[in-house]
Amino acid sequence: MSFPFSWSPDPYILVLTGAGVLIALVAWLPLALRRLPLSLPIVCIGLGALIFSLPQVTLRPLPLHHPELVERFSEFVVIIALMGAGLKIDRVFGFRRWSVAWRLIGITMPLGIAAITMLAGWWIGLSWTLALLLGAALAPTDPVLAADVQVGPPKSGEEDEVRFGLTSEAGLNDGFAFPFVHLAIALAAASTSGKPWFAHWLSLNVVWEIGAGVAGGYAIGKLFGWLTFHVPAKTKLAKTGDGLIALSATFVSYGVTELIHCYGFLAVFVTALTFRHAHRDHDFQRDMHALTEQIERIAMMVLLILFGGALVSGLLAPLRWVDVAAVLAILLVIRPLTGLVGLLGHPADGRERLTLAFFGIRGVGSIYYLAYGLNHIEGVQDGERLWAIVGLVILVSILMHGLTVTPIMRRLDRTHGRDPDTGQATPPPGLQGPATER
C-alpha cells in the first residue's frame, strides 16, 4: 500500500504540534508527578535529549553558539519566576519574620561564592576573574527549578519555614548575586586597562543598583497595587479578573529599573511583594499567580528541552575529571555546609535546617549569570569549559534534588501535621497583614 503524498512535514506545522503537546504536558505532568520521586525538569531534559538525538533535528542548541539568545531567554524565565515567587509568599514582610532569608542571603550566599571561587581558582585552575564569575553564577538558589520546595499559591497555607526560606532566598539572591558578577567583569576590564575599579563598582554596582532596585520595585508595586485594588470601584484593575496584570507589572518593573541601571531581578521580586501586600486576602492574587505560574512553566519547559538538546550536542564534552569532582563538592559539600553555617542559631529544628541547607537548587539563574558575564568579558578562553561545569552542576542538581524532593518534603509535611495528599494545613503566619500581628 502506498500513500498519495510524500512525508515532508512543514516545520511550521511541526512547531504548532509540538507547542500543543508541550502545553498539555505543562497542565498534566505536575499532577501526574505529584506522588512520584520524579520532577518536571527531569522529564523535560529527557524529552529534549530524545528530540535532539533524532537525525532529522540538525539544530545544536549549545550556549556558545547563541550567546545573546541564551542570555535573553533565561532572563525572561527568571523574571517571570520572581514575580510568581513574590506573589505567593503569604508571610508579611519584616526583618524578624524574614530572618531565615537574611541568613541565607547575608551569610550562606557570600560564603558559597567565596568557597566556589577558591575551588575554581586553586583546584580547577581557572583565572581568578573567571573563578569569581563561576562562584557568582553557582551560589544563588534558583527561583525557577525550586518550585517543588517553595511555598504554595497565595492563601493556600503551604508555607512552613523550609518552603518560606527557600522561596524568599530564591527571590532575593538573584538580585544580591549580581554585584559579584559585576565584580568579575570589573576585574577583567581592569586587568587589561589598569584603570581603578573599586570605587565605581562599590558606588554603582552595589550601593546604587541595589538601593535603586529596591526603591524602584517598591514604587512600581505600590502603583500597581493602588490601580488594582484601591482606585474607584468601577475602574479597579481587579475587576477585570485578568491575571495579565501580573505580567504587566513584571515587565514594567524590570524595564523601568533596568532603564535607570539598577537590578531588575531585585526590583521585580520587591514589586511582587509590594503588590501582594496591597490587598493580601483578595482572590485576584490567586488569578495573578496562576497566570505567572503557567507562563513560567511553559518557558521553563522550553528552556530545559533546549538544555537536554545541548547535553546530547556535546555541552559536557570539555569536562575534566577535576571539574566533575568540583561539581560534586559544590553540591554535596559547599552548599550544605554554608547553609548550615548561615542557619546557626536559627530557631528551627535540625531536620528543617538540613533540608534548607540541602535544597540549594541550581538552574536557570546560573545560566543567565554565566551568559551575562561571558557576554560582557572580552577574550574569554575557557568559555566551553565554564559552560560544561555549569551544565553539569544544573544536571546533577536537577537529578539529585528532583529525585529526593518528593519523599523529603512529604515526610516534612507529615511532621508538621499536614497531609501532603490533601494539602490541608493551618494558615501561615502573617496572612492577614501587620494589623493582626502584635
Side-chain angles (χ1 to χ4, degrees), residues 298-315:
I298 293 173
M300 177 202 73
M301 290 182 72
V302 172
L303 189 145
L304 289 180
I305 287 172
L306 293 172
F307 178 65
L311 292 174
V312 298
S313 300
L315 177 67

Side-chain angles (χ1 to χ4, degrees), residues 362-383:
R362 275 47 182 153
V364 182
S366 297
I367 293 174
Y368 171 76
Y369 279 131
L370 183 59
Y372 181 91
L374 292 180
N375 288 344
H376 288 80
I377 298 176
E378 297 181 0
V380 176
Q381 300 298 319
D382 291 316

Side-chain angles (χ1 to χ4, degrees), residues 136-183:
L138 291 178
T141 294
D142 189 62
V144 182
L145 302 184
D148 289 335
V149 293
Q150 291 183 356
V151 300
K155 301 167 57 180
S156 66
E158 299 177 23
E159 191 171 298
D160 51 63
E161 192 70 4
V162 171
R163 286 185 170 89
F164 169 75
L166 292 169
T167 307
S168 56
E169 179 196 11
L172 289 167
N173 64 12
D174 271 310
F176 284 102
F178 229 140
F180 297 96
V181 175
H182 279 295
L183 179 58

Side-chain angles (χ1 to χ4, degrees), residues 86-172:
L87 287 175
K88 65 186 177 184
I89 291 179
D90 287 330
R91 188 173 303 194
V92 175
F93 181 82
F95 287 100
R96 181 171 295 180
R97 298 186 194 97
W98 282 52
S99 63
V100 63
W102 310 134
R103 288 171 173 272
L104 293 171
I105 297 299
I107 302 174
T108 296
M109 191 185 70
L111 286 177
I113 292 175
I116 296 172
T117 301
M118 296 299 177
L119 183 74
W122 282 334
W123 193 12
I124 297 180
L126 296 175
S127 69
W128 287 109
T129 298
L130 294 183
L132 177 59
L133 175 61
L134 187 66
L138 291 178
T141 294
D142 189 62
V144 182
L145 302 184
D148 289 335
V149 293
Q150 291 183 356
V151 300
K155 301 167 57 180
S156 66
E158 299 177 23
E159 191 171 298
D160 51 63
E161 192 70 4
V162 171
R163 286 185 170 89
F164 169 75
L166 292 169
T167 307
S168 56
E169 179 196 11
L172 289 167

